Amino acid sequence: MTAPLTSSAPRLALRADLLDFTADPGFAAPHAAPGVRLRPDHWLLIEHGRIAGVLPGPQEPDASWQREEHPGCLLTPGLIDTHVHSPQLDVIASYGAQLLDWLNTYTFPAELRYADPAVSAAGAQRFVQALLACGTTTAVVFPTVHKVSADALFAEAHRLNMRLVTGKVLMNRFAPPGLLDDVACARRDCVDLIERWHGNGRQSFAVTVRFAPTSTPEQLAMAGELCAAHPGIYMQTHVAENRDEVRWVRELYPEARSYLDVYAQAGLLNPRAVLAHGIWLDDHDRALLREHGAQIAHSPSSNLFLGSGLFNWAQAEEQGVRVSLASDVGGGTSLSMLRTMADAYKVQALQGNRLTAWKALHACTLGAAQHLGLADEIGSLEVGRAADLAVWNLAHGVVGEHRLSMARDWHEKLFAWMTLGDERNLVRTFVAGRPALSFS
Ligand code: GUN
Ligand code: ZN
């Protein structure tokens, strides 16, 4: 995976405080956490869109490198959001409903509009720009049931050389007619998208089952067949988010042992499966996730906003489940992975667990990259990785600046950054070594 990502970009050297991870810090205390690689005042060298080396700050790269200095700023790998809905920027921050009402009242009506190619194209552009404005350089995305909405996302990400995982949403019941597909047509659309986009540049296809209630058993079986026929593709869906949803799945699939078992029976669990939420799972389910190597995309702001429940991250990992972090906009209330980390801390705090800034940031960099099978490509500052990067001010505003000035060590700084920060802390985003956005 070390082929050049760009041909024409200049050699670029970025000077900042470099932070990435070589292993999972786990739920260890801040000062005992393994795997943290902090290199204050270093140069990161970028060539052909990839990381080419690291030098200590005083050791200036020669004149063949274009230099950019960000003193006192943090440079991290670009952040990875493992579950987010592009059309739901239209309904983010909608009042007063839990999951099933929220879908019917706000989400489904909004998604109907994406049948229109112009709406899909404008929506994809807005969404990708909004991700980059938060320092997010890779995302696993739900568009809508309309093939054109997936096409538009792939096209926009491809234009920017940005890594994206998506696929048209599968749903053939319990939604407005304009949001329903049928099994044969959905299969054809997926195969066409796989042939045109999967492995095209940095794009990857995901079989995208909305959730068990909105697919018939025949459609779930078709989704499983697609996964089996195309071993490199991803699978994404929702599982066990809300108690009424879990009850409904029990009624619809009485023969299944559990909600998760519906997906297992359909052949949808594998190491490239990303399942959002997983709040209301039991020990058997967690063992099943572990056996299949499937990951939970923990979506704390969504779980709080929709009143869904508290996901126990520490317990899931103790039982061998892979966990990444996700915004789940528009159930989630911000595309910022900093805000997402801050909400994850609070959700764990309510359950007596302590989430360090190290563990939180690892989950949206190296951790997510490993769970997606992409750690050779993204998620760290290793030589050879794509130069998908974010440069951050550690603080913004009076309160943030003051708190930073009082911080006694690096973990205190990083914890204040993640707890008080958001997209306003972002200085620059790089995608494959090219500045994608700059706010300085
Ligand atoms: N379950 C099925 N669809 C959705 C969705 O769009 N958002 C969330 N949070 N959960 C879902
Ligand atoms: Zn979701």
Side-chain angles (χ1 to χ4, degrees), residues 3 23-24 66 92 101 152 192 196 294 298 340 382:
D24 186 346
Q66 180 182 315
I92 188 172
D101 283 343
D192 179 56
R196 286 190 298 112
H298 171 38
T340 304
E382 288 295 338

Side-chain angles (χ1 to χ4, degrees), residues 26-37:
F27 282 86
H31 303 103
V36 180
R37 180 163 58 180

Side-chain angles (χ1 to χ4, degrees), residues 85 88 99 102-103 107 210-211 238 241 277 302 306 328:
H85 299 253
Q88 294 182 12
L99 176 65
W102 176 82
L103 287 172
T107 311
R210 176 157 223 133
F211 66 158
H238 298 87
E241 173 178 3
H277 310 297
S302 170
L306 296 178
D328 191 30

Side-chain angles (χ1 to χ4, degrees), residues 12 33 46 194 248 263 299 384 416:
L12 180 64
I46 300 164
I194 291 167
W248 192 23
Y263 297 141
S299 309

Side-chain angles (χ1 to χ4, degrees), residues 128-172:
V128 166
Q129 287 305 309
L131 286 181
L132 295 171
C134 290
T136 299
T137 53
T138 296
V140 184
V141 186
F142 269 64
T144 66
V145 70
H146 313 103
K147 183 183 179 189
V148 68
S149 73
D151 249 325
L153 269 180
F154 276 132
E156 181 60 10
H158 188 63
R159 191 178 72 78
L160 298 170
N161 207 8
M162 176 188 180
R163 184 169 283 283
L164 208 78
V165 179
T166 192
K168 91 162 216 87
V169 177
L170 299 172
M171 47 198 298
N172 67 348

Side-chain angles (χ1 to χ4, degrees), residues 61-80:
D62 67 42
S64 69
W65 297 86
Q66 180 182 315
R67 282 173 258 177
E68 200 178 290
E69 303 194 35
H70 296 284
C73 290
L74 191 68
L75 192 160
T76 66
L79 304 182
I80 303 169

